[in-house]
Amino acid sequence: MQAELWNDILGKFHPASAPDYLPVEQLRQVQFQRLQAIVRRSYEHVDLFRQRMDDRGLKPEDIRSLEDIHRLPFTVKNDLRDTYPFGLFASPMQEIVRLHASSGTTGKPIVVAYTREDLEVWTTVMVRTLAAAGLHQGDIVQNAYGYGLFTGGLGAHYGAEALGATVIPISGGNTERQIMILKDFKVTAICCTPSYFIHLIERAGELGVNLKELPLRVGVFGAEPWSESMRQYIQENSNVEAYDIYGLSEITGPGVAAECRCHKGLHIFEDHFYPEIIDPETGAVLPEGCEGELVLTTLSKKAMPIIRYRTRDITSLTRQRCECGRTLCRFMRVGRRSDDMFIIRGVNVFPAQVETALLQVEGTLPHYQILLTRDKGLDEMEVQVEVTPEIFSDTLGSLESLQQKLEYSVEQTLGLRSAVRLVEPHTIQRSEGKAKRVIDQRKL
């Protein structure tokens, strides 16, 4: 790359974004060196990975090219559940400085770990994420992603600070306060789920606040699926340019991929996360442009390297050069999954989790349905569950008590509040095949 063009790039973007523009040959060399190192680290320190490699007759030295990644075993979400809590760690606990977790189907969380170097990488890819959205030093960023065990809040927080922006760590909820801060602090960018921002738009209108009159210009939205129609709604009802971001806790959290100003797919930061597309049925690697399941390999994570993780997200890859100049490949917006997981208010939920929560409470039947709706831009979930004839014919007080117990059990299992509605036996439609557990009435 010519020096003048390189200097022009660094003048427009944060220096941490320089890897976004690596010549392809150099990028492939970086990927291969890191792949070799991470395979060796996993083989030497992670029992499950070593066993699967041995079962295939593979050793780390057998990885002699990037294409050899296809010979490595897949990792799936159940591997993280089965090795709970620390079974996939490749670093001793004294080197681990952060633990995060997301919900699991049995009530136990999926645990992820970071060394100090891992946090530095995470911060760097979040800087690149935010820089791709046009943020820079001097921006005031309202971070309305949830803090705590959820990776979203702290991921966006440290990235924005490293970028040089001013961060408001407001976290999620308390919509009236969010709107007050947006207005009074002269916020220029917001990070949150797209559905929550739509809720902010509608609530602001009810409070007499016109978001178009505020300095707010950029929205960094992720943690749930959303559509072009949602983008159009957001941009037509505010001055915000809406950017999509992608991440998952198992890989690092937010910062795996991000849209640039061209909005033609999400660039994967593939110097740290190597992407593949496979046939979800056979596991065969598919050529560029074919739709299939996204598989990711962490190339630089020390505490908990993940090899060929099946995300279950269905998309396609393109390596055509983007108009923005980045040499990173892109994947198209994820519109569906190959499993039954759904996302509500940024939380991954499996129907099996709901079933576990319900059946922990005596008096319920194993017949339930989950109704997903969207009210004023905010996702809502209602769990309808059949109860025994004895319970249903009992006093009103007994029914209310059971309902409260069920709502508490669901919240404890999911980390998410949900309404529970008790229904009579045989109310929920039976199926001769796979039961339809989820009715999604949200308009994405």
Side-chain angles (χ1 to χ4, degrees):
M1 185 176 290
Q2 296 179 351
E4 309 86 66
L5 179 56
W6 187 258
N7 290 333
D8 181 57
I9 288 170
L10 293 184
K12 291 180 179 177
F13 299 98
H14 194 279
S17 295
D20 293 3
Y21 304 90
L22 280 177
V24 173
E25 299 77 11
Q26 188 175 342
L27 175 60
R28 297 292 170 262
Q29 185 177 3
V30 169
Q31 289 176 318
F32 177 51
Q33 290 173 347
R34 289 179 174 174
L35 176 64
Q36 284 186 311
I38 211 68
V39 168
R40 182 166 298 278
R41 183 178 184 85
S42 298
Y43 187 84
E44 292 175 351
H45 299 289
V46 181
D47 292 342
L48 180 64
F49 183 74
R50 180 171 56 254
Q51 177 185 332
R52 289 179 176 174
M53 286 277 284
D54 290 345
D55 289 344
R56 292 177 173 227
L58 287 175
K59 300 294 181 186
E61 54 268 24
D62 294 327
I63 305 304
R64 301 187 181 96
S65 70
L66 267 179
E67 288 68 31
D68 284 337
I69 193 172
H70 306 324
R71 303 173 65 189
L72 298 172
F74 290 116
T75 304
V76 297
K77 189 180 284 285
N78 273 338
D79 294 332
L80 282 80
R81 298 187 187 112
D82 295 342
T83 56
Y84 171 90
F86 305 144
L88 293 184
F89 289 9
S91 297
M93 191 58 73
Q94 58 264 34
E95 294 178 8
I96 291 172
V97 298
R98 176 91 63 80
L99 296 175
H100 279 283
S102 63
S103 58
T105 58
T106 62
K108 287 185 177 180
I110 286 173
V111 180
V112 290
Y114 305 78
T115 64
R116 194 165 302 281
E117 289 173 287
D118 294 336
L119 290 182
E120 289 172 358
V121 169
W122 190 13
T123 296
T124 299
V125 292
M126 279 307 301
V127 168
R128 292 159 68 178
T129 293
L130 298 173
L135 299 187
H136 48 69
Q137 186 175 14
D139 270 310
I140 301 174
V141 180
Q142 185 160 322
N143 186 16
Y145 284 121
Y147 282 70
L149 289 178
F150 175 60
T151 54
L154 287 174
H157 182 113
Y158 284 109
E161 281 190 345
L163 183 69
T166 301
V167 182
I168 305 168
I170 196 167
S171 194
N174 202 334
T175 301
E176 285 74 16
R177 184 179 64 171
Q178 298 267 3
I179 294 168
M180 179 187 73
I181 296 296
L182 281 173
K183 180 180 177 182
D184 295 348
F185 288 22
K186 303 188 185 308
V187 171
T188 59
I190 187 168
C191 301
C192 63
T193 63
S195 61
Y196 186 64
F197 188 73
I198 290 174
H199 180 64
L200 284 174
I201 290 173
E202 295 177 342
R203 184 65 183 133
E206 294 170 356
L207 296 173
V209 177
N210 186 353
L211 295 186
K212 289 187 175 183
E213 297 176 354
L214 304 184
L216 186 64
R217 62 181 178 81
V218 172
V220 179
F221 302 127
E224 66 184 12
W226 57 300
S227 63
E228 282 302 311
S229 62
M230 287 180 71
R231 190 203 303 270
Q232 291 170 9
Y233 180 90
I234 287 170
Q235 295 185 161
E236 288 171 0
N237 289 274
S238 68
N239 288 328
V240 160
E241 184 171 359
Y243 287 82
D244 194 8
I245 66 171
Y246 176 87
L248 55 166
S249 297
E250 299 93 319
I251 299 300
T252 195
V256 173
E259 277 189 322
C260 67
R261 57 182 171 78
C262 299
H263 302 292
K264 294 182 178 178
L266 288 84
H267 291 278
I268 300 176
F269 299 117
E270 52 178 325
D271 50 323
H272 294 291
F273 315 109
Y274 187 83
E276 305 169 75
I277 296 292
I278 66 166
D279 183 315
E281 298 296 328
T282 67
V285 178
L286 299 177
E288 178 183 341
C290 291
E291 187 179 74
E293 181 182 342
L294 177 65
V295 170
L296 294 169
T297 296
T298 62
L299 295 177
S300 56
K301 196 167 184 188
K302 299 290 183 64
M304 192 174 162
I306 299 291
I307 308 293
R308 301 195 79 197
Y309 183 74
R310 297 190 59 164
T311 68
R312 300 294 182 183
D313 290 326
I314 302 298
T315 183
S316 61
L317 286 180
T318 178
R319 296 193 180 278
Q320 293 183 356
R321 181 69 64 90
C322 182
E323 295 172 9
C324 73
R326 287 175 174 80
T327 55
L328 303 170
C329 72
R330 289 166 287 151
F331 69 84
M332 300 303 104
R333 182 191 295 277
V334 174
R336 61 189 178 90
R337 291 178 55 83
S338 62
D339 60 15
D340 58 357
M341 190 193 85
F342 59 90
I343 301 175
I344 183 163
R345 299 200 289 273
V347 177
N348 296 346
V349 179
F350 289 85
Q353 291 174 287
V354 177
E355 182 174 305
T356 297
L358 296 176
L359 296 181
Q360 287 175 348
V361 180
E362 187 177 355
T364 59
L365 297 172
H367 302 295
Y368 65 94
Q369 226 163 30
I370 302 165
L371 178 64
L372 305 179
T373 57
R374 180 165 287 140
D375 181 30
K376 297 182 178 179
L378 196 62
D379 288 351
E380 300 291 345
M381 180 172 85
E382 179 185 84
V383 179
Q384 301 172 1
V385 57
E386 292 184 10
V387 296
T388 63
E390 295 79 16
I391 291 291
F392 199 83
S393 61
D394 209 338
T395 65
L396 181 60
S398 297
L399 289 173
E400 290 178 348
S401 175
L402 177 60
Q403 181 183 21
Q404 291 170 1
K405 289 178 181 178
L406 289 168
E407 289 179 345
Y408 177 80
S409 183
V410 169
E411 182 177 358
Q412 291 300 301
T413 302
L414 304 183
L416 176 76
R417 288 188 178 183
S418 171
V420 173
R421 182 156 67 92
L422 309 181
V423 299
E424 294 183 65
H426 306 291
T427 301
I428 293 174
Q429 185 176 358
R430 306 299 194 256
S431 173
E432 295 181 359
K434 185 176 179 180
K436 185 173 179 58
R437 297 298 192 192
V438 182
I439 300 176
D440 195 343
Q441 295 181 346
R442 299 173 296 179
K443 293 182 179 179
L444 297 177

